[in-house]
Amino acid sequence: MTRYPLLLLSTTLLLPLLDGCALMGERRGDKESEAPQRTIGDLRRDQAVEIATLEPASETSVSQDRARAAEHYRALLDPTPAEPLRPEAMRRIADLQLERDVDNGSSDHSAAIALYRERLERYPDLLGNDRVRYQLARAYEMSGEGDKALTAMGELVERHPDSPYAVEAWFRRGEYAFVQRDYSGAESAYRKVVQRGSDSLYYERALYKLGWAHFKQSAYNEALDTLLSLLDRTVARNGGNALSLKTVARAEREMLDDTLRVIALSLVYLGGHDELDTLIKARSHASNSTAYAELLYGGLGELHLEKERYSDAAGVFQAFVDHFPNHARSPDFQLKIIDIYRKARFPSLALEARKRFVEQHSLKGAFWQRHRVEDFPEVIAALKQHLTDLARSYHASAQQLKKKKASTKKQQATVNEAIRWYRLYLTSFPDEPQSPAIHFMLAELLFEQGDYAAAVVAYEQTAYDYASHEKSAESAYAAVLSHEKLLNTLTAEQRAVHEETALLSAGRFTQQFPQHPEALKVLARSASQLYQRADYSAAIAASQQILNTPSSDRDLQQRAATIVADAHFERADYAAAESAYRHLLTLPVKEINQRHSNRERLAASIYKQAEQALANKQQSAAIDHFLRIAKSVPDSQYIATAHYDAAATLMAMKQWQRAADILESLRRDYPKDDRQNEITQKLAVIYLELDSGELAAEEFHRITQSAKDPELQRRAAWQSAELFLKAERHQRAIDGFKVYIKQFPAPYDQALEARHHLVELYHKGHNKKRADYWRGQIVSGDAAAGKDRNDRSIYLAATASLVLLEDETDRYRAVALKRPLKKSLKLKKQRLQQAIKALEHASSYGVAEVTTESTYRTAELYRDFSQSLLDSERPVGLSADELAEYGILLEDQAYPFEEKAIAIHASNLQHINSDIYDDAVKRSLQVLAELMPVRYAKQEIGESLFLRKHVLGIQAQASGKYLTRPFMPAAPR
């Protein structure tokens, strides 16, 4: 009996799927081995060469040769041999011993194990120990010592992670852990195999078992990702073609079928086809997931069916159809869905499934662009059957709903579905015998739906494209009606294009069916279409023909008269239109709204005559037309517009009072009219023209409150305040200027003038407190004006500050020099300095009259202080001599202040050289003449000033340190 050495594996460590030979693959070189490593099979071949048994031999001879080889290697273990030969001899002897044990059927491999262990203990770091550990693990395993085998494999992968034996070791560790239900450990081991790369024989099996390990740990997403990667490899090995259990190799079929079931179970736990949809979509770019999508969806769906989860099964099949609508299996899946719902007695769901099937596989659909009709006869047969069923079902449902008087919405939805399937039937099978009847039913439904364009086509096809039938005339007339309905839905531009077709259809009807009882009505509708096409002469003629026919009914008379009146109006023959509308209003009508509309058209024709009169410069006639609308149609919506236009025309004719009367009545009678703001503006202009300032001011005030334009509001607010001021309505003026300042702080110039007006108004009203408040606003406003500061603002601020500082002067004068003098003198000096500081601030504006006045007041303060010292109370208890001496001391203290007053007055006179000779300079001259008459009371000074001011007429201008501004800049207008 010929024998070949085999590596046997324990059935406790491997699943039945994995056979022993699968663990013996080719090994690549490893950096730990002294030469490229080989499998145990390679080792066996080496041994065979060594014992010169290259040909198959009997078991007995092989055993004897192994014994002799073992003896040969034991001789190398002599205590004195060269050390490098010893470890290799130990390994070879152990290998031979293990094979002899296997040949003898012995399960006791302790001798080989001892040699392997001795070799590892004595030479722990020797190259090739990975192979020794591999054999040691094998020996333990065959001895039934699984735990020790697992430990040996652990040492192998730990100490030799890059060894070619590590892959098999990891895989076997994973198998052992899996059998022991240590799925986490199994996952770790299988992952090591996968990480070593796809070149290994164990790669796909490890990938498969890694997916199982994930699944057993409820890590379904990881299981899916792993197993789908396995499918991707299977697809790639299959040339990228779609996978099928019928086409894959038999060796792979069992694993593929098991893989698909694990995937299906994982998807069920994760939520079903939604998760599958996500996975397929996510992997579509990185892999050819569509190649196995059919198997995944089919497997998941069948799993649901096994568990009688019909809805879930149908959902899975539908998901496949949604993602792959043009797949060759798509119709099979859809028919399966229909069958599922039918068997589960879900009629409404079965109906929806039929609809989806028909839509997906209609003859003009995308499915047939990729597949030939002749290759799918079953699909075509199913299409005809389900299409017919759908049309009949919805038709019958529509009839039942109508009988039961169901809601309009529900009826309409059902009718729409019937239309849909009738149309698809006709386009798919146009030559069927029942097509004319179905066509007519389709046309009826389209008309009821308001799809008049489609109804026209359907009716005309039914009437003229088939041989004569009982519905031919009815269809032809219905086509005319549909044209008319369609015209009412089109825009003016679209209508102009379609009216010709509508008229042709009407003509065709009257020619082929002249005795039809609706022929006269069709003529009336033709007149309407002619009117719509702006062929007003033809429309009037057609309508007149109806009016001249005694047998025409009252409604036709009404319609014809309406067309005549409207046509005259559109031709701009407004006088004729007015006459026609007056005639039309004599005819009875069924609806009050129609009479109201005709009355409005009458009013419009009169209004248009007024416009024509204006165009012809006949203003008086136009005004008469405008105003007679209210008499002809008292409730017309044109009255307000007509009166407004009449007032505007009267304003153009400068008939102000008459225009004002009309506008006032318009404001009163139509308070919600959109032109109220314009009315107010026009009244403001009129009252200005009539010199009714207060009334104009009221109108401008209204504009301020109602105008949308901010600039218009601002101007109106200012105009209103000024007009109230002019009318001496001071409080209204004050209110107006305050509102202006609050709402319109810019432009600065105008707001400044408003503050100035408030100062003057409060001054006139003797309200010093409020006047001073606004003076303060002028001063602070000028200080903050920045680049907007100008001569006018500086002047007003300067004059305001001059008035405001009077309080400081009054506070100074209020202090009397009493005993004890030291205390009162200190306070008076403090008040003096504050007053002088305020005067200096006023002078700093550089306004001539303010500067000279400040100079004068400063000098007078010093003179007053000097005199106050002289007039102060004397200490009590002084003798006459002491009083005299005290007086001399006071004079010494007062004299410098008097001298300073004289010097300041004299400086004021210096402005005369700059042609400034105002009242303050004059008063300074008078004081100096009084104090120093010899020097300042000369006639020449007065004559010189007189010549400059009155004879030569020189205008005083500011100059000097502070004098840089004109006396009083004009206010902006």
Side-chain angles (χ1 to χ4, degrees):
M1 177 178 179
T2 302
R3 294 188 59 194
Y4 292 90
L6 295 174
L7 174 61
L8 302 178
L9 298 178
S10 170
T11 57
T12 63
L13 295 180
L14 293 178
L15 292 178
L17 180 62
L18 303 177
D19 55 35
C21 65
L23 298 179
M24 296 283 88
E26 294 182 357
R27 306 297 183 185
R28 293 182 293 178
D30 186 87
K31 64 183 181 180
E32 293 195 42
S33 300
E34 57 270 46
Q37 295 294 303
R38 293 168 292 171
T39 65
I40 298 300
D42 296 327
L43 181 59
R44 294 187 187 121
R45 285 191 292 272
D46 291 343
Q47 295 166 345
V49 171
E50 292 170 357
I51 60 178
T53 55
L54 297 178
E55 296 296 329
S58 67
E59 294 183 7
T60 303
S61 63
V62 170
S63 179
Q64 292 174 350
D65 290 341
R66 284 177 178 154
R68 288 196 297 271
E71 290 300 325
H72 170 72
Y73 283 119
R74 284 193 181 92
L76 295 177
L77 300 181
D78 185 270
T80 61
E83 187 64 21
L85 300 177
R86 187 179 184 84
E88 182 61 18
M90 294 174 70
R91 181 186 67 78
R92 297 273 180 136
I93 292 172
D95 289 347
L96 290 170
Q97 180 65 46
L98 186 60
E99 296 304 323
R100 287 176 62 194
D101 293 341
V102 172
D103 291 342
N104 296 331
S106 174
S107 60
D108 181 10
H109 307 295
S110 57
I113 290 172
L115 281 170
Y116 287 135
R117 290 181 60 82
E118 181 182 357
R119 148 97 182 224
L120 292 173
E121 290 173 359
R122 295 184 63 174
Y123 308 102
D125 300 321
L126 193 65
L127 292 175
N129 278 354
D130 55 333
R131 185 172 182 175
V132 175
R133 286 189 168 87
Y134 174 80
Q135 287 291 82
L136 176 61
R138 175 173 170 247
Y140 276 132
E141 183 180 335
M142 289 190 296
S143 298
E145 297 181 90
D147 291 340
K148 291 182 179 181
L150 192 65
T151 301
M153 286 188 287
E155 292 176 354
L156 193 159
V157 296
E158 180 179 351
R159 298 176 63 90
H160 313 282
D162 297 326
S163 170
Y165 301 105
V167 174
E168 182 181 343
W170 276 120
F171 184 80
R172 293 179 67 189
R173 283 171 62 86
E175 294 290 85
Y176 183 82
F178 194 94
V179 170
Q180 298 299 320
R181 298 187 179 182
D182 178 10
Y183 300 119
S184 176
E187 175 193 346
S188 178
Y190 292 137
R191 192 181 302 281
K192 290 289 187 180
V193 178
V194 172
Q195 288 173 350
R196 287 295 293 266
S198 60
D199 293 339
S200 168
L201 265 177
Y202 301 97
Y203 180 79
E204 288 193 5
R205 290 169 181 169
L207 204 61
Y208 163 73
K209 292 305 294 292
L210 178 59
W212 261 108
H214 285 311
F215 177 80
K216 289 293 187 178
Q217 296 177 86
S218 301
Y220 305 118
N221 283 314
E222 291 80 358
L224 287 174
D225 187 60
T226 302
L227 294 174
L228 289 177
S229 297
L230 179 60
L231 290 182
D232 288 337
R233 286 181 58 84
T234 307
V235 170
R237 190 166 53 254
N238 216 30
N241 298 318
L243 285 184
S244 171
L245 291 174
K246 297 178 181 179
T247 60
V248 297
R250 182 176 181 180
E252 292 182 298
R253 191 175 305 158
E254 183 179 353
M255 186 168 71
L256 177 59
D257 186 54
D258 196 46
T259 298
L260 292 173
R261 185 165 185 83
V262 176
I263 290 174
L265 288 170
S266 298
L267 290 170
V268 169
Y269 291 133
L270 287 174
H273 67 81
D274 289 340
E275 184 66 23
L276 178 55
D277 296 343
T278 303
L279 283 174
I280 293 295
K281 183 177 180 181
R283 301 179 69 87
S284 61
H285 301 295
S287 64
N288 189 13
S289 57
T290 57
Y292 49 77
E294 171 199 345
L295 294 177
L296 297 183
Y297 282 96
L300 181 58
E302 292 298 334
L303 182 63
H304 284 313
L305 283 179
E306 289 177 14
K307 300 180 181 297
E308 298 185 353
R309 296 174 61 175
Y310 300 114
S311 296
D312 290 339
V316 173
F317 293 133
Q318 185 60 48
F320 175 82
V321 173
D322 292 340
H323 284 290
F324 308 99
N326 299 319
H327 196 282
R329 289 295 310 281
S330 177
D332 295 338
F333 277 29
Q334 286 186 292
L335 291 174
K336 188 181 288 288
I337 293 170
I338 296 171
D339 191 54
I340 288 172
Y341 286 140
R342 181 182 60 80
K343 290 180 178 178
R345 297 182 180 180
F346 296 152
S348 60
L349 294 177
L351 183 64
E352 292 300 318
R354 288 192 184 97
K355 288 164 60 177
R356 288 194 296 270
F357 173 80
V358 170
E359 289 169 343
Q360 186 69 32
H361 300 95
S362 63
L363 294 182
K364 294 183 179 180
F367 181 84
W368 299 110
Q369 295 177 9
R370 299 191 179 187
H371 304 283
R372 297 188 308 171
V373 172
E374 54 268 26
D375 293 338
F376 294 85
E378 297 85 358
V379 176
I380 295 299
L383 176 64
K384 291 181 180 179
Q385 183 62 47
H386 289 304
L387 185 56
T388 302
D389 290 346
L390 284 170
R392 290 176 177 174
S393 175
Y394 278 104
H395 194 157
S397 296
Q399 292 174 339
Q400 291 297 321
L401 289 172
K402 187 175 182 179
K403 290 180 180 179
K404 295 178 180 180
K405 297 182 180 180
S407 67
T408 302
K409 183 177 180 180
K410 190 171 183 179
Q411 288 189 51
Q412 194 64 51
T414 307
V415 168
N416 287 343
E417 285 297 305
I419 290 173
R420 180 185 183 191
W421 304 121
Y422 279 133
R423 188 183 295 281
L424 188 56
Y425 179 90
L426 291 172
T427 56
S428 300
F429 310 104
D431 299 326
E432 292 295 317
Q434 63 268 33
S435 291
I438 291 178
H439 222 139
F440 181 78
M441 295 171 69
L442 169 64
E444 291 283 272
L445 288 170
L446 289 170
F447 186 88
E448 294 169 5
Q449 278 291 93
D451 189 357
Y452 302 119
V456 163
V457 175
Y459 277 129
E460 290 183 345
Q461 288 174 342
T462 305
Y464 306 118
D465 290 356
Y466 298 100
S468 179
H469 53 88
E470 61 178 357
K471 294 290 185 181
S472 295
E474 185 178 353
S475 298
Y477 174 64
V480 174
L481 294 179
S482 298
H483 275 296
E484 293 177 359
K485 292 287 187 180
L486 177 60
L487 286 172
N488 293 331
T489 66
L490 300 178
T491 64
E493 187 175 322
Q494 294 170 329
R495 189 188 307 248
V497 175
H498 189 76
E499 279 176 350
E500 183 67 30
T501 304
L503 289 171
L504 289 174
S505 180
R508 192 175 184 183
F509 165 69
T510 55
Q511 288 175 7
Q512 292 195 19
F513 307 100
Q515 302 303 319
H516 196 280
E518 299 296 323
L520 195 60
K521 293 180 181 179
V522 171
L523 179 61
R525 289 194 286 274
S526 296
S528 297
Q529 292 174 356
L530 289 168
Y531 173 81
Q532 294 295 332
R533 296 183 65 196
D535 190 354
Y536 301 121
S537 297
I540 292 172
S543 300
Q544 200 63 49
Q545 184 178 350
I546 295 173
L547 292 173
N548 295 335
T549 302
S551 60
S552 59
D553 61 27
R554 186 174 62 185
D555 289 342
L556 286 179
Q557 289 278 331
Q558 176 75 23
R559 290 171 58 191
T562 301
I563 291 174
V564 170
D566 289 347
H568 281 306
F569 188 92
E570 295 300 331
R571 294 173 66 189
D573 188 356
Y574 299 117
E578 180 183 354
S579 176
Y581 282 123
R582 291 188 183 278
H583 168 70
L584 180 59
L585 288 170
T586 65
L587 299 177
V589 294
K590 293 182 179 179
E591 298 182 3
I592 297 177
N593 290 339
Q594 184 60 46
R595 178 173 293 277
H596 175 73
S597 176
N598 292 335
R599 287 170 60 81
E600 287 298 321
R601 296 287 281 179
L602 171 61
S605 65
I606 299 173
Y607 183 87
K608 287 294 184 179
Q609 292 179 65
E611 288 186 332
Q612 287 180 334
L614 280 179
N616 295 328
K617 299 183 179 180
Q618 300 172 350
Q619 287 94 336
S620 297
I623 292 170
D624 291 341
H625 285 306
F626 283 135
L627 297 180
R628 75 184 179 92
I629 292 176
K631 298 177 181 178
S632 298
V633 189
D635 57 346
S636 174
Q637 63 181 2
Y638 286 92
I639 294 176
T641 300
H643 281 201
Y644 182 84
D645 292 343
T649 305
L650 288 168
M651 289 179 67
M653 298 171 67
K654 297 187 178 181
Q655 295 187 22
W656 306 113
Q657 190 57 56
R658 191 178 175 193
D661 293 341
I662 292 175
L663 290 173
E664 288 286 4
S665 64
L666 188 58
R667 171 191 281 169
R668 180 184 63 253
D669 296 339
Y670 299 93
K672 296 182 179 180
D673 191 90
D674 293 337
R675 292 177 291 261
Q676 283 294 335
N677 291 342
E678 288 81 357
I679 291 171
T680 300
Q681 294 174 29
K682 289 184 180 300
L683 284 171
V685 173
I686 290 172
Y687 287 134
L688 284 177
E689 293 293 341
L690 292 173
D691 199 22
S692 299
E694 187 173 349
L695 293 176
E698 294 288 356
E699 298 303 327
F700 280 115
H701 179 66
R702 286 193 179 96
I703 294 172
T704 302
Q705 295 176 323
S706 61
K708 304 298 183 184
D709 181 5
E711 178 58 19
L712 178 60
Q713 279 187 313
R714 186 189 69 80
R715 294 171 60 189
W718 182 262
Q719 188 80 348
S720 174
E722 282 206 324
L723 286 171
F724 278 127
L725 180 62
K726 184 177 179 181
E728 296 186 356
R729 293 288 303 279
H730 291 169
Q731 188 56 49
R732 292 297 301 275
I734 287 172
D735 295 340
F737 284 125
K738 284 183 178 179
V739 169
Y740 183 89
I741 293 168
K742 181 177 181 180
Q743 293 184 1
F744 308 104
Y748 170 68
D749 289 351
Q750 206 74 33
L752 174 66
E753 293 305 320
R755 295 183 182 98
H756 180 58
H757 280 307
L758 287 171
V759 170
E760 292 184 336
L761 285 167
Y762 279 122
H763 180 72
K764 288 180 180 179
H766 304 290
N767 190 338
K768 184 177 184 304
K769 182 178 179 181
R770 296 306 299 166
D772 284 349
Y773 170 80
W774 289 107
R775 288 188 181 102
Q777 290 296 305
I778 290 173
V779 172
S780 61
D782 175 73
K787 65 179 182 179
D788 292 331
R789 198 166 184 246
N790 53 49
D791 289 344
R792 176 68 177 172
S793 69
I794 292 170
Y795 174 81
L796 292 178
T799 55
S801 64
L802 192 62
V803 176
L804 291 173
L805 64 82
E806 289 177 356
D807 290 341
E808 294 291 341
T809 303
D810 293 341
R811 292 175 67 235
Y812 158 75
R813 295 186 185 280
V815 179
L817 295 180
K818 299 180 179 181
R819 294 186 300 269
L821 182 60
K822 184 177 182 180
K823 180 179 179 181
S824 59
L825 179 60
K826 180 180 179 181
L827 179 59
K828 195 167 185 70
K829 275 186 176 182
Q830 181 182 352
R831 299 284 176 84
L832 174 64
Q833 290 170 355
Q834 291 172 349
I836 290 173
K837 185 177 180 181
L839 288 166
E840 287 176 347
H841 174 71
S843 296
S844 67
Y845 283 99
V847 175
E849 62 188 90
V850 175
T851 299
T852 56
E853 181 64 28
S854 297
T855 302
Y856 172 80
R857 293 187 186 184
T858 301
E860 286 300 289
L861 284 173
Y862 279 117
R863 192 157 75 101
D864 179 80
F865 190 78
S866 175
Q867 189 61 45
S868 295
L869 282 174
L870 296 175
D871 296 340
S872 63
E873 287 186 352
R874 299 314 192 247
V876 179
L878 296 180
S879 63
D881 292 337
E882 288 174 335
L883 285 173
E885 185 178 354
Y886 184 82
I888 293 171
L889 291 174
L890 286 177
E891 288 178 359
D892 291 340
Q893 293 294 322
Y895 178 73
F897 290 102
E898 182 178 348
E899 286 298 310
K900 192 161 189 175
I902 292 171
I904 294 173
H905 277 307
S907 69
N908 218 10
L909 297 186
Q910 296 302 316
H911 297 310
I912 296 174
N913 296 328
S914 300
D915 296 328
I916 298 174
Y917 185 63
D918 57 12
D919 185 64
V921 174
K922 231 185 242 187
R923 283 184 276 120
S924 287
L925 181 59
Q926 291 172 358
V927 171
L928 288 172
E930 177 185 342
L931 296 175
M932 303 177 71
V934 174
R935 183 174 178 182
Y936 289 101
K938 295 181 180 180
Q939 181 67 25
E940 291 80 3
I941 295 175
E943 291 174 354
S944 174
L945 293 173
F946 181 84
L947 286 172
R948 287 179 177 275
K949 184 172 178 62
H950 299 292
V951 179
L952 299 179
I954 296 175
Q955 174 64 42
Q957 297 295 325
S959 64
K961 179 179 179 181
Y962 293 119
L963 306 184
T964 58
R965 309 287 176 184
F967 277 101
M968 184 174 174
R973 293 184 60 80

